[in-house]
Amino acid sequence: MPIFASPASMTIRLPKVFVNFDQPPNSEISKIALIGSPNVGKSTIVNDLVKSTISIVSVRPHTTRERIKAVLTQDNKQTVFYDTPGVVPEKNLSRLNRELVTASWKALEDADHLLVVMDCNKLLKHSVVTESYIFQRLEKLEKAIPATLVFNKMDLVKGQEDKIQEIAATYNNQYPHFVKTIFTSAQSPKVGIQELRSHILSLTQPGPWLYPATQKTDQSDLSRVEDMIRSELYAVLKLPYFVKQVNVGWTELEGNILRIDQNLVVERPGMKKIIVGTDGVVIRDLTIKARQDISRALGRRVMLNLQVKVKKSRKV
Ligand SMILES: Nc1nc2c(ncn2[C@@H]2O[C@H](COP(=O)(O)OP(=O)(O)OP(=O)(O)O)[C@@H](O)[C@H]2O)c(=O)[nH]1
Ligand SMILES: [Mg+2]
């Protein structure tokens, strides 16, 4: 690490705030929260809708750890999406996940429309306990929120579309505030995303925009960087290990290059071995991929230095 490196400042750490930016004439706005079980494709859909990787995606449940705002702006219309951690029934929650899920239900309080996202494959093959629980919670909302039902992962249920239509009819009866049902495949080749985007843009109401037209998220730069590193880590670590990310350097170098130094603190030496790999091959590959993601997202040249450290055990 260069001697002059210092950790990211508050402006890099805190969510971005926008005031006094240009509003278009006849501006329209809507705030939409996504809600659904873990792993159904909420973040993939949000990224597709805003055409940018704002919220990280992985095969692992509970990839989204906090409420993430993503912004879609077209002509005079702006939609702010709240992507949320996947919800699970309360009795199945660990303490950590309880906090995540609380954030999801809280996002609903700020929303004027909901996207209730379902994984079609899961609906046909697995238990729908979580989906039933979601409907119970929706029915109990103090003020009903209009919603759109999104059946995602249609690519995995080819030939069984009739069964999905039947489930859609049942769910529409259960929550009478659905204004539309849309069937999507958020992975290439994408299906239904354009229809979903047009529908969403039809939901805006007159009101001031919350973000300038060019802004796609309010996330801080540091939070986006850490998410992108975490996303690459998830691809390497098959098990839900806890890795603490500590930013130790955020340094502007000559030539408009940003140098980021980050420690990945793990609980046990065995975990370090997995992340570093033989002769450092895993961490090298992970660093290259994360640097490319970060460089694309921040639109600038980036140097990334990742150090894997084992948490010091407390002496008794
Ligand atoms: N086959 C298929 N896979 C999909 C589709 N949409 C998303 N996926 C995959 O499903 C997995 C989960 O996607 P995410 O977008 O992270 O799901 P999520 O609902 O945000 O998950 P959490 O944040 O953990 O609640 C990833 O591996 C995606 O690539 C789809 O339409 N078809
Ligand atoms: Mg997610």
Side-chain angles (χ1 to χ4, degrees):
M1 200 200 323
I3 284 164
F4 51 83
S6 60
S9 65
M10 273 306 161
T11 35
I12 308 290
R13 286 174 189 270
L14 293 174
K16 295 182 174 168
V17 179
F18 302 92
V19 280
N20 297 335
F21 56 88
D22 286 343
Q23 293 282 342
N26 312 322
S27 61
E28 294 191 5
I29 181 86
S30 67
K31 291 182 273 177
I32 299 189
L34 287 92
I35 199 97
S37 299
N39 219 37
V40 296
K42 299 176 294 298
S43 301
T44 312
I45 290 174
V46 166
N47 290 339
D48 282 349
L49 291 171
V50 304
K51 299 183 186 167
S52 181
T53 307
I54 300 298
S55 198
I56 61 165
V57 165
S58 89
V59 290
R60 177 188 296 196
H62 279 139
T63 298
T64 306
R65 314 292 301 176
E66 58 183 4
R67 180 174 83 169
I68 298 217
K69 284 189 206 153
V71 188
L72 168 67
T73 305
Q74 194 167 308
D75 305 323
N76 63 329
K77 294 164 181 282
Q78 183 165 88
T79 303
V80 180
F81 294 101
Y82 303 130
D83 183 16
T84 63
V87 293
V88 276
E90 264 143 34
K91 63 180 169 45
N92 299 350
L93 285 173
S94 65
R95 200 160 54 86
L96 175 69
N97 290 347
R98 194 176 299 274
E99 279 168 28
L100 296 186
V101 172
T102 304
S104 301
W105 292 113
K106 232 178 148 23
L108 269 53
E109 291 170 9
D110 290 336
D112 42 46
H113 193 92
L114 308 178
L115 292 188
V116 181
V117 186
M118 306 272 164
D119 171 342
C120 295
N121 195 37
K122 181 170 171 259
L123 292 184
L124 293 185
K125 296 202 178 123
H126 303 277
S127 125
V128 290
V129 173
T130 307
E131 283 66 23
S132 308
Y133 166 75
I134 290 172
F135 280 105
Q136 278 170 23
R137 293 273 314 227
L138 290 178
E139 281 159 18
K140 283 193 205 141
L141 286 175
E142 255 172 46
K143 194 169 143 269
I145 309 173
T148 298
L149 190 49
V150 180
F151 282 88
N152 190 37
K153 305 200 187 181
M154 284 298 283
D155 54 305
L156 300 180
V157 295
K158 292 231 163 75
Q160 301 180 85
E161 288 83 354
D162 287 356
K163 285 188 195 158
I164 295 294
Q165 292 278 1
E166 276 172 32
I167 298 173
T170 316
Y171 284 160
N172 267 286
N173 280 335
Q174 225 168 324
Y175 187 70
H177 309 284
F178 283 122
V179 299
K180 199 172 172 73
T181 303
I182 296 185
F183 302 90
T184 59
S185 216
Q187 261 189 356
S188 293
K190 297 182 194 301
V191 176
I193 297 295
Q194 186 50 41
E195 183 191 357
L196 183 58
R197 191 183 292 113
S198 308
H199 167 61
I200 280 165
L201 287 167
S202 76
L203 300 171
T204 53
Q205 297 287 331
W209 285 0
L210 298 172
Y211 298 94
T214 50
Q215 207 55 41
K216 293 200 166 182
T217 182
D218 73 334
Q219 270 186 291
S220 70
D221 285 345
L222 180 62
S223 164
R224 291 190 77 188
V225 162
E226 293 194 336
D227 272 4
M228 284 180 269
I229 295 169
R230 196 154 52 82
S231 169
E232 296 299 345
L233 256 174
Y234 279 1
V236 171
L237 290 174
K238 303 287 182 249
L239 295 169
Y241 289 135
F242 180 70
V243 181
K244 186 171 179 212
Q245 294 170 265
V246 182
N247 176 262
V248 286
W250 189 280
T251 317
E252 293 292 342
L253 301 179
E254 259 180 45
N256 193 27
I257 300 169
L258 172 65
R259 172 170 170 150
I260 300 166
D261 294 272
Q262 175 111 171
N263 287 348
L264 305 175
V265 186
V266 297
E267 304 277 334
R268 289 189 303 277
M271 288 170 62
K272 177 172 174 175
K273 252 188 174 168
I274 297 174
I275 302 177
V276 172
T278 314
D279 297 331
V281 66
V282 175
I283 188 73
R284 245 192 332 269
D285 189 43
L286 190 159
T287 306
I288 291 171
K289 288 191 182 135
R291 182 180 55 73
Q292 287 166 345
D293 297 342
I294 296 167
S295 189
R296 210 173 302 124
L298 300 186
R300 59 184 301 192
R301 283 175 67 196
V302 168
M303 265 175 73
L304 179 63
N305 177 29
L306 298 177
Q307 298 279 340
V308 187
K309 310 233 174 213
V310 181
K311 189 174 156 191
K312 287 196 187 83
S313 58
R314 265 188 292 156
K315 298 240 163 49
V316 202

